[in-house]
Amino acid sequence: MQNYFIINPAAGSKRKTKTLLASIKQGSEQTDIKSEIYYTRYPGDSERFIRWMCDCYRDETFRFFGCGGDGTCNE
């Protein structure tokens, strides 16, 4: 299983993003579960990315975590 953290770089402060990235890294190291970061680039990008991953890798299992503002979470 692989975790994908979808981050909207325009949401929140840079300090909070740094703290979030450090927590993701620490959690990945402690659990030995591979985690990837995907930064959104435009509205609708997180939904497009998740659909693409699920279509291309149908036999894989993923967890997607929306990290950002309301728009990212609503997608």
Side-chain angles (χ1 to χ4, degrees):
M1 176 175 313
Q2 187 167 341
N3 293 328
Y4 277 89
F5 291 85
I6 300 173
I7 297 175
N8 179 350
S13 69
K14 291 184 186 215
R15 183 174 59 92
K16 287 182 182 179
T17 300
K18 278 185 167 182
T19 302
L20 175 63
L21 293 174
S23 296
I24 292 169
K25 181 179 178 183
Q26 181 182 14
S28 293
E29 291 170 354
Q30 289 176 348
T31 60
D32 227 11
I33 296 174
K34 186 176 178 185
S35 295
E36 297 285 335
I37 306 294
Y38 181 81
Y39 293 97
T40 59
R41 296 168 290 186
Y42 51 84
D45 191 28
S46 60
E47 183 177 354
R48 181 209 55 83
F49 173 72
I50 291 170
R51 287 182 189 276
W52 180 80
M53 288 296 295
C54 292
D55 286 344
C56 290
Y57 303 98
R58 293 180 184 270
D59 296 334
E60 300 291 326
T61 302
F62 302 108
R63 284 188 199 149
F64 296 100
F65 299 92
C67 308
D70 291 343
T72 303
C73 292
N74 284 325
E75 282 182 37

